[in-house]
Amino acid sequence: MDDRPDLHAATELVTEVVTSIDESRLTATTPCPEYAVGDLLDHLAGLATAFTLAARKEGLDAHSGPPPLGSADRLVAGWKQVIPQRLAELAVAWDAPGARDGMTKAGGIDMPGEVGELVALNEVVTHGWDLAAATGQPYAPDAATLAALAGFTSQFPREGSPGAFGPWRATADDPTALERVLAQNGRDITWSPAAPAG
């Protein structure tokens, strides 16, 4: 049985979120304290490309350090078309034979290919929620996607990892699968646009 995560389901869901964002919302706050919506869209565009290259094992030494923070000032023109295209390419790239084999690199970090795929999935799902929460959209990843992430995010250190994800956050006594994954990524699942980010 193939237990690989389905990046197509996740990227299609996030595409729906991206294409529903109004230009007027680009300066709105998000659950990522350092990012407004436009900044986060730029980050999503960049990580989609980075993890597509990671799957293909292409250009891995072009950038030795972490990528710059996302910035709305660099947001690609036609982002409502470009970001969905990059997300689709990301999902296809990880379907290719050999994508999970051996070592790869993204954001200046070496990792096994199978880990790279999970990191890509986690980035897409978590930032998809960030954007949905910031712009008042529904967001419901499928059960298989959340199951694939659950084992991965449960291994994250509870104190967080600087530059990657924050400390685990509190949840209700019986959190949903999505709430658990988000909390293990350091997200405040009670965040709303009216509340301060943090």
Side-chain angles (χ1 to χ4, degrees), residues 18-177:
V18 169
T19 56
S20 298
I21 295 174
D22 190 271
E23 296 269 356
S24 66
R25 302 294 295 163
L26 293 182
T27 58
T29 58
T30 77
C32 275
E34 65 271 20
Y35 284 155
V37 168
D39 305 322
L40 193 51
L41 286 167
D42 176 62
H43 178 61
L44 181 62
L47 75 85
T49 297
F51 280 96
T52 296
L53 294 175
R56 295 173 179 167
K57 315 291 195 301
E58 295 177 359
L60 301 185
D61 295 321
H63 304 286
S64 58
L69 290 176
S71 172
D73 293 338
R74 292 193 304 271
L75 184 58
V76 62
W79 54 270
K80 281 195 181 188
Q81 293 76 43
V82 175
I83 294 176
Q85 180 181 354
R86 292 187 187 181
L87 288 171
E89 290 171 353
L90 170 67
V92 169
W94 284 102
D95 277 344
R100 300 174 83 205
D101 298 341
M103 296 294 292
T104 190
K105 179 185 289 188
I109 299 173
D110 293 306
M111 65 191 84
E114 60 185 9
V115 173
E117 183 178 35
L118 284 167
V119 174
L121 180 67
N122 188 56
E123 289 279 323
V124 168
V125 170
T126 301
H127 289 314
W129 177 79
D130 291 333
L131 290 168
T135 56
Q137 298 187 53
Y139 191 69
D142 65 283
T145 293
L146 294 172
L149 284 178
F152 180 59
T153 61
S154 68
Q155 301 174 58
F156 289 1
R158 288 182 175 269
E159 66 273 17
S161 178
F165 45 85
W168 284 25
R169 302 296 288 260
T171 65
D173 290 339
D174 187 22
T176 66

Side-chain angles (χ1 to χ4, degrees), residues 1-6 94-95 100 117 144:
M1 180 175 152
D2 186 357
D3 59 354
R4 293 181 60 173
D6 181 7
W94 284 102
D95 277 344
R100 300 174 83 205
E117 183 178 35

Side-chain angles (χ1 to χ4, degrees), residues 163-191:
F165 45 85
W168 284 25
R169 302 296 288 260
T171 65
D173 290 339
D174 187 22
T176 66
L178 176 60
E179 288 172 343
R180 185 178 293 107
V181 165
L182 292 170
Q184 290 169 348
N185 272 286
R187 293 301 191 270
D188 176 3
I189 60 174
T190 67
W191 186 93

